[in-house]
Amino acid sequence: MRTSRWVVVTYTIIILAGIIAALPNALTTKQLAALPSWFPKQQVTLGLDLQGGSHLVLEVDAAALKTDRLRSLLDDVRGALRKERINASSARLAGDAIVVNIADDAQRATALATLQSLAVPVSGLGLGGGKPDIEVTTADKQIKVMLTEAGQRDKLDAALQQSLEIVRQRVDQVGVAEPTIQRVGSDRMLVQLPGLQDPTRLRELLGSTAKMTFHMVANVANGEPLPRGVTMLPDAKSGAQYPVEDRVALDGARLTDARAGFDQRTQEPLVSFRFDSVGARQFAEITAANVGKPFAIVLDGKVLSAPSIREPITGGSGQISGSFSVEETVTLSALLRAGALPAPLTVIEERTVGPDLGGDVIKMGIYTGIAGFVAVVLFMVALYGTWGMIANFALLLHLILTFGVLTLIGGTLTLPGIAGIILGIGFGVDANILINERIREESKKGLSAFAALDNGFKRAYSTIVDANVTSLIATGLLFMFGSGPVRGFAITMFLGTCLSMFTAVSVTRILMAAVVRRKRLKTITIEPLVRFFPEKTSISFMKARYLGIGMSIFLSLASIGLFFKPGLNYGIDFKGGIQVEIATSTPADLAQLRSTLGGLNIGEVALQQIGSDGNVLIRVQRQEGGETAQTAAVDTIKSAVQKLDPSVKFERTEVVGPKVSGELAQSGIMAVVLAALAMLVYIWWRFEWNFAIGAIATLVLDTTKMVGFFALFGLDFNLTAIAALLTIIGYSVNDKVVVYDRMRENLRLYKKMPLREIIDMSINQVFARCIYTSVAILLSMLPMAIWGGSAVENFAIPMVFGVFIATTSSIFIAAPILLLLGDWWQQRSAGREPSTAVAASKA
């Protein structure tokens, strides 16, 4: 139990660094400003669900990008053929390829060589490294030009990189503070905007391609057939149709500046723009040659305005007007300044939280966290008296260091992250309970104080490591397959698990040894202030093994039945759709609200009153027509609600498209399956095959009961529910590892004792520990389950049920399964021995 002075110094430095890093989180902005300049002032970044703001995931339209590339390639092919004096009109688009029909063999050979020279090697190691961007083949009298996969990936990558810069410029133009804009995967970007409550205008700003072109308006009378090269385009405001020439007279890429302003005569909002030198010359030539003719300014296929040219414009500048609002001119000018996107961006996921709701959530998290912490502290004192205070000190240290590390790594604290920290309080106690119970056992054997400490920590250590590894497996998979706030939960749980190894084992060990040394204790007496259990139990758990397994199977089968009918109440994370939480100024009239929304032709609408009379959750089914239809439906819902109550507040908005919901559902299932397999492998490696099978069989029974619980109470089954499910899986295996570890130890000590007696003895030895740990976790989570509200009910309430299920299954199901497997293996081995002996005698 001696600890090197250098180890103590190192631990002290780590703890002080953690406390200093965490301290700014407890101070106000004014108090931080008063601190010395050398003192760290960084605070934990609050997630959008806590501080309010918008979370948007945008996807590059790969299909549109491919179509544009094929059209551009067609022009290149025709241009190359013209240079060789080959008939270019024979080149045409056919599906995903460009086909050129040439009957003459010599011309076809020349054309083939010419078109092959158009291929460009794709740059970048990860995108095909040197492979051509197009593939040119010939068959019979036909040449086919196709885009290669490497070329398409290269264009998509370049488009996403360009889009990131343009989106960043657009967001900066509208003045959103501290935005987060980053790439997600091969064709998506994440945009997080703190403090932005209504992202409607920004959604338009980000999703608009902003491809601006100038065209002449054709002289076509109403009812006349359109001549070749003319297309009817709608007006951006009124929807009126204009016969616009397809040929681009001037490209908007020549714009150098665009500003929102007002007409000096009418004071109407407008956008003034300026061209570069080449664009100014072209603009002057066009206006000089077409005086008196209408000139269309087209943005993304819609006519912004079509003024008649009164006189030649030689200054290189112009104006766009047309019944715009001030906000619209600001948005339009920002779009034009930032430039056009290479391809359209589609909002496939949107989550918005109002700042008021975020503030309420923070208060709820603080209050429930303090209540849970105090409950656990009192419980530890009741269990272990003075020694429990050392565990509580380690627990407080664990909490502080969690915030310290989160601050140092620049982690983001989300609502599920708060739940993770609170849950970490309960899990952090687990190691302390294991250690104290072990030391108590060693002391009962008559060992001296230091010997009891030494043996207690040594024997508890392997169990603690095994139990924590199973939790880390579940947490790691949750981080890999989760997204957004759920990842915040995974981070805090991961930190909590790792830090509990430090505080509950290393720090507690030093403190307990220091107390023994200072007080010169000969023996350690760890007695509870309140005795919850007899000091020693001798319950024959295996007598009820068939009843336990039978009841468990019955409940699991009933849960499977509930899974099919009434089924899980899938949240929008998994089935897509729209969810809007509103706060009305007066008690909400649900009948009127349902009638109004039902007449919007947006499909099934469900209303749920949450919290006070004025808080209503509106759920709308996934819209047909993809992500664009979802976005339009959100605007329709908000407009309809505002007409009923102009002072309504939109506390939270969530929009999940069909593509994202399918991916989230797949990821959730994958995470649960991989967690079970990973734990099976780990237990098989650390114990034996029968232990692993027993644990996984019990885990399947536990998981089905959890699913049945969600179905029975109609709780939302979403990403947060998956987080609860994975946490319970981790805790369930954690609990079984403790029981298994004691069985393994007793199997080595009592080699001739029947397996049934060893299992009963082992369970009796760890029975108190299992109950105490479960009670500690329940105490930490119960305040959140009771007062947390709808925001965390999908996590906290199932966790309370799950802890109860995991604890009972460790005692009444996992152990009986292990006994059955052990008996079967012994009978199988006994059946083999006679045949082996007979074979040997015959030989």
Side-chain angles (χ1 to χ4, degrees):
M1 293 303 294
R2 292 184 181 275
T3 306
S4 166
R5 181 175 294 178
W6 289 109
V7 171
V8 175
V9 171
T10 303
Y11 287 174
T12 305
I13 292 171
I14 291 172
I15 291 168
L16 287 175
I19 292 172
I20 291 171
L23 186 59
N25 296 292
L27 302 177
T28 62
T29 306
K30 189 175 180 181
Q31 290 170 330
L32 280 174
L35 291 173
S37 57
W38 56 265
F39 198 92
K41 297 179 175 63
Q42 184 180 352
Q43 293 180 314
V44 171
T45 304
L46 296 179
L48 297 183
D49 54 347
L50 296 181
Q51 64 172 319
S54 295
H55 164 110
L56 301 170
V57 178
L58 300 103
E59 183 178 66
V60 175
D61 190 338
L65 190 67
K66 184 179 181 180
T67 302
D68 287 347
R69 173 63 180 137
L70 283 170
R71 287 174 181 168
S72 172
L73 186 59
L74 178 61
D75 291 340
D76 293 342
V77 166
R78 286 173 174 171
L81 293 176
R82 287 192 197 99
K83 284 184 180 179
E84 298 296 330
R85 297 185 178 179
I86 299 171
N87 182 16
S89 62
S90 62
R92 59 186 174 81
L93 275 174
D96 291 341
I98 296 166
V99 176
V100 185
N101 292 306
I102 303 175
D104 185 82
D105 292 341
Q107 280 194 335
R108 192 166 60 254
T110 303
L112 181 64
T114 301
L115 296 181
Q116 284 176 336
S117 67
L118 295 176
V120 177
V122 173
S123 60
L125 297 175
L127 300 168
K131 292 182 179 179
D133 64 338
I134 62 171
E135 182 182 12
V136 184
T137 58
T138 181
D140 296 330
K141 297 179 180 182
Q142 193 178 75
I143 298 174
K144 187 178 284 187
V145 183
M146 298 182 68
L147 301 176
T148 64
E149 188 179 342
Q152 291 180 55
R153 285 202 307 267
D154 181 60
K155 288 294 179 186
L156 186 60
D157 181 70
L160 185 58
Q161 292 290 355
Q162 185 181 349
S163 299
L164 278 168
E165 291 306 314
I166 293 172
V167 165
R168 191 170 284 112
Q169 291 176 38
R170 291 182 180 182
V171 171
D172 290 343
Q173 297 284 349
V174 295
V176 177
E178 299 181 5
T180 298
I181 303 168
Q182 62 189 38
R183 179 174 181 159
V184 181
S186 61
D187 60 350
R188 294 177 186 175
M189 70 174 74
L190 169 67
V191 181
Q192 290 186 329
L193 308 161
L196 190 73
Q197 189 170 357
D198 184 9
T200 304
R201 186 163 60 93
L202 196 77
R203 202 189 314 125
E204 294 171 359
L205 185 72
L206 300 182
S208 176
T209 310
K211 189 173 184 179
M212 188 170 177
T213 49
F214 297 81
H215 304 252
M216 296 307 301
V217 177
N219 186 16
V220 179
N222 288 335
E224 286 187 11
L226 293 176
R228 188 175 179 182
V230 176
T231 304
M232 296 298 288
L233 294 181
D235 184 275
K237 283 285 186 180
S238 65
Q241 299 289 316
Y242 291 89
V244 177
E245 293 183 2
D246 294 342
R247 186 178 66 84
V248 176
L250 182 57
D251 198 308
R254 292 296 177 186
L255 289 173
T256 59
D257 192 21
R259 299 287 169 186
F262 294 91
D263 188 301
Q264 292 182 355
R265 291 183 298 105
T266 63
Q267 293 301 307
E268 288 185 355
L270 54 76
V271 175
S272 58
F273 58 84
R274 180 172 294 279
F275 292 107
D276 60 14
S277 58
V278 175
R281 188 180 70 250
Q282 292 176 348
F283 193 49
E285 291 171 357
I286 292 167
T287 53
N290 295 282
V291 173
K293 296 180 181 179
F295 190 51
I297 304 171
V298 179
L299 182 72
D300 293 341
K302 294 182 179 179
V303 179
L304 290 178
S305 65
S308 293
I309 301 171
R310 297 192 186 97
E311 57 186 13
I313 303 173
T314 57
S317 62
Q319 293 178 340
I320 306 172
S321 59
S323 304
F324 295 118
S325 66
V326 174
E327 291 78 10
E328 287 171 334
T329 58
V330 171
T331 301
L332 178 57
S333 60
L335 285 170
L336 298 180
R337 282 197 302 275
L341 291 167
L345 290 175
T346 306
V347 179
I348 60 175
E349 182 182 354
E350 175 193 328
R351 301 178 192 271
T352 302
V353 175
D356 293 341
L357 181 62
D360 292 341
V361 167
I362 293 173
K363 289 178 184 176
M364 177 276 300
I366 292 172
Y367 295 153
T368 56
I370 291 173
F373 183 80
V374 170
V376 171
V377 165
L378 294 174
F379 183 63
M380 290 300 288
V381 172
L383 280 182
Y384 304 116
T386 307
W387 298 103
M389 290 305 297
I390 294 178
N392 288 333
F393 175 77
L395 197 61
L396 178 62
L397 207 56
H398 166 270
L399 194 60
I400 294 170
L401 291 181
T402 300
F403 276 98
V405 175
L406 268 178
T407 305
L408 288 172
I409 66 174
T412 301
L413 184 63
T414 61
L415 174 57
I418 291 177
I421 291 173
I422 295 172
L423 187 60
I425 294 170
F427 277 126
V429 171
D430 181 36
N432 282 306
I433 291 175
L434 271 171
I435 290 166
N436 278 287
E437 290 296 321
R438 274 293 193 175
I439 293 171
R440 179 189 281 171
E441 285 182 27
E442 297 302 318
S443 297
K444 297 290 183 185
K445 294 177 183 177
L447 295 179
S448 65
F450 277 113
L453 281 179
D454 191 35
N455 280 5
F457 274 95
K458 278 182 181 177
R459 293 178 185 275
Y461 186 73
S462 64
T463 308
I464 292 169
V465 170
D466 286 336
N468 283 332
V469 166
T470 57
S471 295
L472 289 175
I473 288 171
T475 303
L477 288 167
L478 190 60
F479 182 81
M480 286 173 59
F481 292 99
S483 64
V486 175
R487 277 195 164 189
F489 168 78
I491 290 171
T492 54
M493 277 299 295
F494 181 86
L495 288 177
T497 303
C498 294
L499 288 171
S500 70
M501 290 287 291
F502 173 65
T503 56
V505 179
S506 303
V507 175
T508 304
R509 184 173 179 270
I510 292 173
L511 291 175
M512 292 184 83
V515 170
V516 171
R517 194 174 291 112
R518 182 176 292 273
K519 293 189 175 182
R520 298 181 179 180
L521 298 176
K522 299 296 181 183
T523 58
I524 291 181
T525 304
I526 301 179
E527 293 296 333
L529 294 181
V530 180
R531 189 172 293 280
F532 298 98
F533 280 99
E535 189 171 340
K536 189 175 181 181
T537 58
S538 55
I539 304 169
S540 297
F541 292 99
M542 292 304 98
K543 282 185 178 179
R545 61 187 183 277
Y546 294 115
L547 178 63
I549 293 174
M551 281 291 294
S552 180
I553 292 173
F554 170 77
L555 290 174
S556 291
L557 289 174
S559 296
I560 293 171
L562 289 170
F563 172 76
F564 288 105
K565 190 175 182 181
L568 290 171
N569 180 24
Y570 291 104
I572 65 168
D573 287 341
F574 292 156
K575 67 178 182 181
I578 300 164
Q579 193 164 280
V580 180
E581 184 179 333
I582 62 171
T584 56
S585 53
T586 57
D589 186 341
L590 294 182
Q592 185 184 22
L593 192 59
R594 186 176 289 107
S595 173
T596 301
L597 296 177
L600 297 178
N601 196 27
I602 53 175
E604 185 181 344
V605 178
L607 303 180
Q608 178 185 349
Q609 206 154 30
I610 54 174
S612 65
D613 294 338
N615 287 79
V616 180
L617 188 65
I618 304 169
R619 300 170 189 261
V620 181
Q621 71 176 56
R622 191 172 73 190
Q623 302 296 297
E624 298 297 330
E627 279 75 9
T628 307
Q630 297 260 104
T631 301
V634 172
D635 296 335
T636 304
I637 293 166
K638 289 186 174 180
S639 298
V641 173
Q642 280 179 325
K643 284 181 182 177
L644 291 177
D645 184 359
S647 60
V648 68
K649 287 184 179 179
F650 296 100
E651 299 282 25
R652 186 174 42 153
T653 304
E654 295 183 51
V655 183
V656 179
K659 185 180 290 187
V660 172
S661 61
E663 291 171 359
L664 292 177
Q666 185 178 356
S667 297
I669 295 169
M670 187 75 73
V672 173
V673 171
L674 287 179
L677 291 175
M679 291 175 191
L680 171 67
V681 171
Y682 182 77
I683 293 176
W684 200 313
W685 173 61
R686 286 292 288 144
F687 295 88
E688 290 179 18
W689 66 270
N690 49 346
F691 286 89
I693 292 174
I696 293 304
T698 312
L699 199 59
V700 170
L701 294 172
D702 288 354
T703 305
T704 53
K705 292 186 192 75
M706 286 293 295
V707 172
F709 181 81
F710 275 100
L712 183 62
F713 289 95
L715 296 173
D716 269 7
F717 196 78
N718 50 22
L719 277 178
T720 309
I722 290 290
L725 199 59
L726 278 172
T727 306
I728 285 301
I729 287 173
Y731 177 69
S732 179
V733 177
N734 173 316
D735 211 45
K736 285 149 192 62
V737 163
V738 174
V739 179
Y740 283 172
D741 192 69
R742 184 57 67 97
M743 290 179 187
R744 179 175 58 180
E745 182 182 327
N746 287 331
L747 282 167
R748 291 169 181 166
L749 291 173
Y750 309 100
K751 295 182 179 180
K752 294 184 179 181
M753 184 181 290
L755 181 59
R756 176 174 170 173
E757 292 181 22
I758 287 178
I759 290 175
D760 270 337
M761 179 177 66
S762 301
I763 295 176
N764 278 290
Q765 288 172 344
V766 298
F767 186 59
R769 175 266 159 197
C770 290
I771 301 300
Y772 292 158
T773 299
S774 298
V775 170
I777 293 174
L778 288 174
L779 288 174
S780 66
M781 290 303 299
L782 210 53
M784 180 170 276
I786 296 171
W787 299 300
S790 61
V792 290
E793 67 178 9
N794 298 335
F795 178 85
I797 295 174
M799 276 300 302
V800 171
F801 174 75
V803 168
F804 173 77
I805 288 295
T807 306
T808 53
S809 68
S810 299
I811 297 167
F812 297 106
I813 302 166
I817 290 175
L818 185 63
L819 177 60
L820 292 173
L821 289 171
D823 288 344
W824 170 79
W825 185 255
Q826 284 179 353
Q827 290 170 6
R828 191 168 180 268
S829 300
R832 282 180 173 181
E833 287 175 6
S835 60
T836 307
V838 170
S841 64
K842 286 182 179 179

